Amino acid sequence: MAEAVWRSRGRTRRSTRTVRVSVSAVVVTAVVLAVLVVPPIAQLDEQAVDLSMKLQPPSPAHPFGTDDVGRDLLLRCVYGLRISLLVGVVAALVATVIGTLVGAAAAAFGGWTDRVVMRLVDTFASVPHLLLGIFIVAMFRPGVWPVVVSVALTHWLSTARIVRSEVLSLRSRPYIDAAISGGASRWRVTARHLLPGVLPQAGLAAVLMVPHAMWHESALSFLGLGLPAHEASLGNLVQSARGSLLAGDWWPTLFPGLFLIIPTLAVAGLAGAWRERINPRRRSELML
């Protein structure tokens, strides 16, 4: 009887997980197609101002309504998502590369190298990400690439810790001992055995970092330190809608917020499935 109940629960959780992954994949695909296809096909100027149409509520002509100067909010949300996604993907890739190299080097060499590197990581981690990001981006003119640099330089720390932990685990494997006994150098063992072994974990960290970087960019733009105010990033859209929200116009704030929240949940759903796939023990525990 207990075995039947466990099997029933396992099937229910598998079906729920399948639905979650399918919905997440559909949402991510729709987001990617929207940012790649809509701007070239629409051929519309998202900066076009029409004061006679300002703050129009959602309608068939403007499904998301218009902003305080009459610009179509749906088009600006798509353009804003395009910029925010660009910042998130590039910053996540750069941060993952830095974190992977630092974490792998610290664990592979060990000794004082590991201690010094990890103390530096702890020092940087003690400073709040947003505060450090503000300090970095304030040294440049507002733009996309200063934000990318700011996000990348403040988000590699967690990846370095994850990779270091994974490399330390791999160093105890028999095939690593065999390679070292066969005369392989540390560089060769790291490049041929350790780095390939941590790529799944590093890839998962990069995927999870994309929405985090998008939120970081939005926070910087909301504070006026990210992208220029005339560019349609999601942070700028939310920032410019503050006055409209206080006046009772909810749509200029709601839809840019949804464009941030929904892709974040979709990426989290796919990342959860990826985590279960690369960690079979955890997956088997969840199925009980």
Side-chain angles (χ1 to χ4, degrees):
M1 184 66 179
E3 184 178 355
V5 172
W6 288 347
R7 289 181 178 178
S8 176
R9 290 179 179 177
R11 285 194 295 268
T12 301
R13 290 179 179 179
R14 282 196 296 269
S15 61
T16 303
R17 184 170 58 251
T18 301
V19 171
R20 184 181 72 244
V21 172
S22 301
V23 172
S24 299
V26 169
V27 172
V28 171
T29 303
V31 167
V32 173
L33 290 177
V35 300
L36 293 179
V37 175
V38 170
I41 291 180
Q43 293 294 323
L44 297 174
D45 184 10
E46 49 92 16
Q47 299 284 3
V49 174
D50 185 1
L51 295 178
S52 64
M53 296 293 293
K54 70 176 184 178
L55 292 177
Q56 294 293 314
S59 64
H62 301 284
F64 285 6
T66 60
D67 63 7
D68 56 349
V69 292
R71 295 173 293 195
D72 184 77
L73 198 57
L74 173 58
L75 191 61
R76 285 183 62 78
C77 283
V78 172
Y79 273 89
L81 180 61
R82 192 181 193 184
I83 295 295
S84 297
L85 193 60
L86 170 66
V87 172
V89 170
V90 176
L93 289 177
V94 175
T96 301
V97 171
I98 296 174
T100 301
L101 294 178
V102 172
F109 287 95
W112 66 268
T113 302
D114 185 22
R115 291 192 293 271
V116 170
V117 170
M118 296 316 297
R119 293 298 79 75
L120 290 175
V121 169
D122 293 339
T123 301
F124 280 107
S126 65
V127 182
H129 285 175
L130 186 58
L131 181 61
L132 185 58
I134 290 173
F135 175 76
I136 294 174
V137 81
M139 296 187 296
F140 304 94
R141 289 185 177 182
V144 173
W145 298 114
V147 176
V148 170
V149 172
S150 171
V151 176
L153 293 182
T154 56
H155 287 73
W156 59 270
L157 306 172
S158 59
T159 303
R161 287 171 170 168
I162 293 172
V163 169
R164 174 183 177 271
S165 177
E166 191 70 16
V167 170
L168 289 176
S169 175
L170 291 174
R171 284 178 56 183
S172 62
R173 304 291 174 85
Y175 67 90
I176 299 296
D177 293 334
I180 295 175
S181 300
S185 64
R186 286 188 178 183
W187 285 108
R188 182 174 180 82
V189 170
T190 302
R192 293 292 300 273
H193 301 290
L194 297 180
L195 282 179
V198 301
L199 286 181
Q201 295 288 349
L204 177 61
V207 171
L208 289 172
M209 202 180 301
V210 170
H212 188 76
M214 291 173 59
W215 282 88
H216 199 86
E217 177 275 323
S218 298
L220 290 175
S221 297
F222 183 83
L223 294 174
L225 298 170
L227 275 68
H230 66 277
E231 292 192 15
S233 75
L234 295 178
N236 282 340
L237 293 180
V238 175
Q239 195 276 339
S240 63
R242 290 184 302 169
S244 303
L245 181 64
L246 294 176
D249 300 320
W250 49 269
W251 57 91
T253 304
L254 174 65
F255 292 113
L258 291 178
F259 267 61
L260 269 175
I261 294 172
I262 293 177
T264 299
L265 296 177
V267 171
L270 292 179
W274 189 350
R275 185 186 296 112
E276 294 173 13
R277 181 173 293 274
I278 65 178
N279 192 344
R281 179 179 298 178
R282 183 177 185 273
R283 178 174 58 184
S284 63
E285 292 172 354
L286 290 174
M287 292 172 59
L288 292 178

